[in-house]
Short mmCIF file of all heavy atoms in Angstrom, two decimals:
data_model
loop_
_atom_site.label_atom_id
_atom_site.label_comp_id
_atom_site.label_asym_id
_atom_site.label_seq_id
_atom_site.Cartn_x
_atom_site.Cartn_y
_atom_site.Cartn_z
N ASN A 105 -11.72 6.38 -16.25
CA ASN A 105 -11.06 5.32 -15.48
C ASN A 105 -10.48 5.81 -14.17
O ASN A 105 -9.79 5.07 -13.48
CB ASN A 105 -9.98 4.67 -16.34
CG ASN A 105 -10.58 3.84 -17.45
OD1 ASN A 105 -11.23 2.83 -17.19
ND2 ASN A 105 -10.42 4.28 -18.67
N ASN A 182 1.07 -1.47 -14.12
CA ASN A 182 0.19 -1.58 -15.28
C ASN A 182 -1.04 -0.72 -15.01
O ASN A 182 -1.82 -1.02 -14.13
CB ASN A 182 -0.19 -3.04 -15.48
CG ASN A 182 -0.95 -3.27 -16.78
OD1 ASN A 182 -1.22 -2.32 -17.53
ND2 ASN A 182 -1.28 -4.52 -17.06
N ALA A 184 -3.30 -0.18 -17.25
CA ALA A 184 -4.39 -0.61 -18.12
C ALA A 184 -4.62 -2.11 -18.03
O ALA A 184 -4.76 -2.79 -19.02
CB ALA A 184 -4.08 -0.20 -19.55
N GLU A 186 -4.14 -5.85 -15.25
CA GLU A 186 -3.58 -6.39 -14.03
C GLU A 186 -2.06 -6.30 -14.00
O GLU A 186 -1.41 -6.31 -15.04
CB GLU A 186 -3.98 -7.87 -13.90
CG GLU A 186 -5.43 -8.10 -13.59
CD GLU A 186 -5.67 -9.55 -13.25
OE1 GLU A 186 -5.61 -10.40 -14.16
OE2 GLU A 186 -5.89 -9.85 -12.07
N TYR A 190 6.27 -9.50 -10.51
CA TYR A 190 6.60 -9.04 -9.16
C TYR A 190 6.06 -7.62 -8.98
O TYR A 190 5.93 -6.87 -9.93
CB TYR A 190 8.13 -9.00 -8.96
CG TYR A 190 8.84 -10.35 -9.06
CD1 TYR A 190 10.21 -10.41 -9.30
CD2 TYR A 190 8.16 -11.54 -8.89
CE1 TYR A 190 10.88 -11.61 -9.38
CE2 TYR A 190 8.82 -12.76 -8.97
CZ TYR A 190 10.17 -12.79 -9.22
OH TYR A 190 10.84 -13.98 -9.30
N ASP A 191 5.80 -7.25 -7.75
CA ASP A 191 5.23 -5.93 -7.48
C ASP A 191 6.33 -4.87 -7.39
O ASP A 191 6.74 -4.45 -6.30
CB ASP A 191 4.43 -5.98 -6.17
CG ASP A 191 3.63 -4.71 -5.95
OD1 ASP A 191 3.64 -3.84 -6.84
OD2 ASP A 191 3.00 -4.59 -4.88
N ILE A 241 -14.68 0.67 14.96
CA ILE A 241 -14.04 -0.22 13.98
C ILE A 241 -14.65 -1.62 14.05
O ILE A 241 -14.94 -2.25 13.03
CB ILE A 241 -12.52 -0.30 14.23
CG1 ILE A 241 -11.87 1.09 14.13
CG2 ILE A 241 -11.85 -1.30 13.29
CD1 ILE A 241 -11.68 1.63 12.74
N GLY A 288 -28.54 5.70 4.13
CA GLY A 288 -28.15 5.00 5.36
C GLY A 288 -27.00 5.63 6.11
O GLY A 288 -26.64 5.18 7.19
N ASP A 291 -27.78 6.72 9.58
CA ASP A 291 -27.92 5.61 10.53
C ASP A 291 -26.54 5.24 11.11
O ASP A 291 -26.41 4.94 12.29
CB ASP A 291 -28.53 4.38 9.86
CG ASP A 291 -30.02 4.58 9.57
OD1 ASP A 291 -30.49 5.73 9.72
OD2 ASP A 291 -30.70 3.60 9.20
N ASP A 292 -25.52 5.29 10.23
CA ASP A 292 -24.16 5.04 10.72
C ASP A 292 -23.73 6.15 11.68
O ASP A 292 -23.06 5.89 12.69
CB ASP A 292 -23.17 4.94 9.56
CG ASP A 292 -23.19 3.57 8.89
OD1 ASP A 292 -23.83 2.65 9.44
OD2 ASP A 292 -22.59 3.42 7.81
N ARG A 347 -4.20 -1.29 17.55
CA ARG A 347 -5.25 -0.41 18.09
C ARG A 347 -5.60 -0.71 19.54
O ARG A 347 -5.84 0.19 20.33
CB ARG A 347 -6.51 -0.52 17.23
CG ARG A 347 -6.44 0.31 15.98
CD ARG A 347 -7.68 0.11 15.14
NE ARG A 347 -7.64 -1.17 14.47
CZ ARG A 347 -7.77 -1.33 13.15
NH1 ARG A 347 -7.96 -0.30 12.37
NH2 ARG A 347 -7.71 -2.52 12.61
N THR A 348 -5.59 -2.01 19.88
CA THR A 348 -5.98 -2.37 21.25
C THR A 348 -4.95 -1.91 22.28
O THR A 348 -5.23 -1.88 23.47
CB THR A 348 -6.14 -3.90 21.39
OG1 THR A 348 -4.98 -4.52 20.85
CG2 THR A 348 -7.37 -4.40 20.67
N ASN A 378 -2.02 4.84 14.29
CA ASN A 378 -0.84 5.60 13.85
C ASN A 378 -0.67 6.84 14.73
O ASN A 378 -1.35 7.84 14.58
CB ASN A 378 -1.02 5.99 12.38
CG ASN A 378 0.21 6.62 11.74
OD1 ASN A 378 0.19 6.95 10.57
ND2 ASN A 378 1.29 6.79 12.49
N SER A 413 5.22 -0.40 14.98
CA SER A 413 6.24 -0.04 14.01
C SER A 413 6.75 1.37 14.30
O SER A 413 6.06 2.17 14.93
CB SER A 413 5.68 -0.10 12.59
OG SER A 413 6.64 0.38 11.67
N THR A 415 7.40 3.69 12.11
CA THR A 415 6.85 4.72 11.24
C THR A 415 5.66 4.19 10.44
O THR A 415 5.72 3.08 9.90
CB THR A 415 7.91 5.32 10.29
OG1 THR A 415 7.26 6.17 9.33
CG2 THR A 415 8.73 4.28 9.56
N GLU A 417 3.92 6.52 8.29
CA GLU A 417 3.76 7.32 7.08
C GLU A 417 4.85 8.36 6.83
O GLU A 417 4.84 9.00 5.80
CB GLU A 417 2.39 8.02 7.10
CG GLU A 417 2.16 8.88 8.34
CD GLU A 417 0.75 9.48 8.43
OE1 GLU A 417 -0.13 9.05 7.68
OE2 GLU A 417 0.56 10.37 9.27
N ASP A 435 18.91 -10.58 9.10
CA ASP A 435 18.64 -11.18 7.79
C ASP A 435 17.60 -10.37 7.02
O ASP A 435 17.64 -10.27 5.79
CB ASP A 435 18.16 -12.63 7.94
CG ASP A 435 19.33 -13.60 8.10
OD1 ASP A 435 20.49 -13.16 7.93
OD2 ASP A 435 19.08 -14.79 8.38
N THR A 436 16.63 -9.82 7.75
CA THR A 436 15.60 -9.02 7.08
C THR A 436 16.21 -7.72 6.54
O THR A 436 15.95 -7.32 5.40
CB THR A 436 14.46 -8.71 8.07
OG1 THR A 436 13.97 -9.94 8.59
CG2 THR A 436 13.33 -7.96 7.38
N ASP B 56 -7.96 -5.77 17.11
CA ASP B 56 -7.03 -5.14 16.16
C ASP B 56 -7.40 -5.45 14.72
O ASP B 56 -6.81 -4.88 13.80
CB ASP B 56 -5.60 -5.64 16.42
CG ASP B 56 -5.02 -5.08 17.70
OD1 ASP B 56 -5.46 -3.99 18.11
OD2 ASP B 56 -4.15 -5.74 18.31
N LEU B 57 -8.34 -6.37 14.52
CA LEU B 57 -8.70 -6.82 13.18
C LEU B 57 -7.47 -7.30 12.41
O LEU B 57 -7.30 -7.01 11.22
CB LEU B 57 -9.42 -5.70 12.41
CG LEU B 57 -10.87 -5.45 12.85
CD1 LEU B 57 -11.34 -4.07 12.39
CD2 LEU B 57 -11.81 -6.51 12.29
N GLN B 127 17.79 -17.89 4.18
CA GLN B 127 17.66 -16.81 5.17
C GLN B 127 16.18 -16.67 5.55
O GLN B 127 15.32 -16.74 4.68
CB GLN B 127 18.11 -15.47 4.60
CG GLN B 127 19.45 -15.49 3.88
CD GLN B 127 20.62 -15.64 4.82
OE1 GLN B 127 20.60 -15.10 5.91
NE2 GLN B 127 21.62 -16.41 4.43
N ARG B 130 11.71 -11.58 7.99
CA ARG B 130 10.43 -11.23 8.62
C ARG B 130 10.09 -9.80 8.20
O ARG B 130 10.56 -8.84 8.79
CB ARG B 130 10.53 -11.36 10.14
CG ARG B 130 10.73 -12.82 10.59
CD ARG B 130 10.58 -12.96 12.10
NE ARG B 130 9.22 -12.70 12.54
CZ ARG B 130 8.28 -13.64 12.68
NH1 ARG B 130 8.55 -14.89 12.42
NH2 ARG B 130 7.08 -13.31 13.09
N LYS B 137 -0.67 -0.14 9.45
CA LYS B 137 -0.03 0.92 8.66
C LYS B 137 1.45 0.89 9.01
O LYS B 137 1.80 0.86 10.19
CB LYS B 137 -0.65 2.25 9.08
CG LYS B 137 -0.51 3.38 8.10
CD LYS B 137 -1.39 4.52 8.58
CE LYS B 137 -1.16 5.77 7.76
NZ LYS B 137 -1.82 6.92 8.41
N ASN B 138 2.32 0.85 8.00
CA ASN B 138 3.72 0.60 8.30
C ASN B 138 4.57 0.93 7.08
O ASN B 138 4.38 0.36 6.02
CB ASN B 138 3.87 -0.89 8.65
CG ASN B 138 5.20 -1.22 9.28
OD1 ASN B 138 6.08 -0.38 9.38
ND2 ASN B 138 5.35 -2.46 9.70
N VAL B 139 5.48 1.88 7.23
CA VAL B 139 6.37 2.18 6.10
C VAL B 139 7.84 2.04 6.50
O VAL B 139 8.71 2.67 5.91
CB VAL B 139 6.11 3.58 5.49
CG1 VAL B 139 4.72 3.66 4.90
CG2 VAL B 139 6.33 4.70 6.50
N ARG B 146 5.09 -6.95 -0.05
CA ARG B 146 4.38 -6.94 -1.33
C ARG B 146 5.19 -7.62 -2.42
O ARG B 146 4.64 -8.11 -3.41
CB ARG B 146 4.04 -5.52 -1.73
CG ARG B 146 3.03 -4.86 -0.83
CD ARG B 146 2.74 -3.46 -1.28
NE ARG B 146 1.99 -3.42 -2.50
CZ ARG B 146 0.69 -3.20 -2.56
NH1 ARG B 146 -0.01 -2.99 -1.48
NH2 ARG B 146 0.06 -3.19 -3.73
N THR B 154 8.91 -17.83 -6.04
CA THR B 154 10.22 -17.72 -6.69
C THR B 154 11.19 -16.82 -5.94
O THR B 154 12.37 -16.75 -6.30
CB THR B 154 10.09 -17.21 -8.14
OG1 THR B 154 9.44 -15.92 -8.11
CG2 THR B 154 9.27 -18.16 -8.99
N ASN B 229 -25.53 -0.90 6.49
CA ASN B 229 -26.67 -0.97 7.39
C ASN B 229 -27.95 -1.18 6.57
O ASN B 229 -27.95 -1.06 5.33
CB ASN B 229 -26.73 0.24 8.32
CG ASN B 229 -26.97 1.56 7.59
OD1 ASN B 229 -27.84 1.64 6.71
ND2 ASN B 229 -26.21 2.59 7.95
N ARG B 231 -30.73 0.38 6.00
CA ARG B 231 -31.24 1.45 5.13
C ARG B 231 -30.31 1.64 3.92
O ARG B 231 -30.77 1.84 2.79
CB ARG B 231 -31.32 2.76 5.92
CG ARG B 231 -32.21 3.81 5.25
CD ARG B 231 -32.13 5.13 5.98
NE ARG B 231 -32.44 5.02 7.40
CZ ARG B 231 -33.65 5.21 7.91
NH1 ARG B 231 -34.67 5.52 7.10
NH2 ARG B 231 -33.86 5.11 9.20
N ARG B 269 -6.57 -15.10 -17.42
CA ARG B 269 -7.23 -13.81 -17.19
C ARG B 269 -6.82 -12.81 -18.27
O ARG B 269 -5.65 -12.77 -18.65
CB ARG B 269 -6.89 -13.25 -15.80
CG ARG B 269 -7.30 -14.16 -14.65
CD ARG B 269 -7.22 -13.42 -13.33
NE ARG B 269 -5.95 -12.79 -13.10
CZ ARG B 269 -4.89 -13.40 -12.55
NH1 ARG B 269 -4.98 -14.67 -12.19
NH2 ARG B 269 -3.76 -12.75 -12.37
N SER B 271 -7.08 -8.74 -19.25
CA SER B 271 -7.42 -7.45 -18.64
C SER B 271 -6.92 -6.29 -19.49
O SER B 271 -5.94 -6.41 -20.22
CB SER B 271 -6.85 -7.35 -17.22
OG SER B 271 -5.44 -7.39 -17.24
N ARG B 272 -7.61 -5.19 -19.40
CA ARG B 272 -7.13 -3.92 -19.90
C ARG B 272 -7.91 -2.83 -19.17
O ARG B 272 -8.55 -3.11 -18.17
CB ARG B 272 -7.22 -3.79 -21.42
CG ARG B 272 -8.59 -3.98 -22.02
CD ARG B 272 -8.49 -3.99 -23.53
NE ARG B 272 -8.57 -2.64 -24.09
CZ ARG B 272 -8.19 -2.35 -25.33
NH1 ARG B 272 -7.68 -3.28 -26.11
NH2 ARG B 272 -8.33 -1.14 -25.80
N SER B 275 -12.62 0.87 -18.46
CA SER B 275 -13.72 1.41 -19.29
C SER B 275 -13.90 0.58 -20.56
O SER B 275 -14.89 0.72 -21.25
CB SER B 275 -13.44 2.87 -19.64
OG SER B 275 -12.24 2.96 -20.37
N ARG B 302 -12.89 -3.98 -12.42
CA ARG B 302 -11.43 -4.12 -12.53
C ARG B 302 -10.97 -4.32 -13.96
O ARG B 302 -9.76 -4.35 -14.23
CB ARG B 302 -10.94 -5.28 -11.65
CG ARG B 302 -11.13 -5.05 -10.15
CD ARG B 302 -10.64 -6.23 -9.31
NE ARG B 302 -9.28 -6.58 -9.68
CZ ARG B 302 -8.86 -7.81 -9.92
NH1 ARG B 302 -9.68 -8.83 -9.83
NH2 ARG B 302 -7.62 -8.04 -10.26
N THR B 330 -3.49 -7.20 -21.20
CA THR B 330 -2.62 -8.03 -20.37
C THR B 330 -3.22 -9.42 -20.20
O THR B 330 -4.42 -9.55 -19.94
CB THR B 330 -2.46 -7.38 -18.98
OG1 THR B 330 -1.95 -6.06 -19.16
CG2 THR B 330 -1.51 -8.18 -18.10
#
Side-chain angles (χ1 to χ4, degrees):
Chain A
N105 289 294
N182 188 358
E186 289 190 289
Y190 297 160
D191 189 3
I241 300 284
D291 288 10
D292 280 350
R347 279 177 285 235
T348 49
N378 188 179
S413 175
T415 171
E417 56 186 13
D435 277 352
T436 305
Chain B
D56 288 333
L57 286 161
Q127 312 288 324
R130 294 190 67 92
K137 201 170 171 191
N138 193 355
V139 297
R146 293 180 71 101
T154 59
N229 65 45
R231 197 187 305 267
R269 300 193 307 274
S271 63
R272 57 187 273 164
S275 61
R302 293 180 52 228
T330 303

